[in-house]
Amino acid sequence: MIESHPIDDLFPLLDGPDFEKLVEDIRDNGQQAPISLFEGKILDGRTRHRACLKAGVEPWTEEPSISDPFKFVVSKNLHRRHLTPSQRATIAVESANMKRGNNQHRGSANLQTL
């Protein structure tokens, strides 16, 4: 099991019936998108990683060149997830409170887009 990056931990995991549907889909059709790693940790795709392991499918990872890991995760997740306004607010607060080093690459990200 690969450890997740603190930035990816800002987003809630998919659980319950939706997670089970993902496991079934990966079992039937394989993993369709890579799991993105940054500094050896999962930056995007920890639910996909869990689903692959549960489905008995070897997870497919890649280490793309990422200059701003925070913007990368926000871009990958906010546009494909159905987050409630409360969840978006929680992510904004938690990202602002991350210790320097976990989010130092995000610069002056506009959290209003969350």
Side-chain angles (χ1 to χ4, degrees), residues 55-72:
V57 172
E58 181 69 27
W60 161 39
T61 65
E62 68 177 10
E63 288 208 41
S65 177
I66 300 170
S67 61
D68 188 329
F70 182 79
K71 284 183 180 178
F72 178 85

Side-chain angles (χ1 to χ4, degrees), residues 11 70-71 74-75 78-79 83-93 95-96 106-114:
F11 290 85
F70 182 79
K71 284 183 180 178
V74 168
S75 175
L78 283 182
H79 303 291
L83 298 174
T84 66
S86 175
Q87 287 172 316
R88 289 175 192 260
T90 299
I91 292 165
V93 168
S95 68
R106 70 181 174 93
S108 58
N110 182 357
L111 295 179
Q112 292 179 353
T113 61
L114 294 175

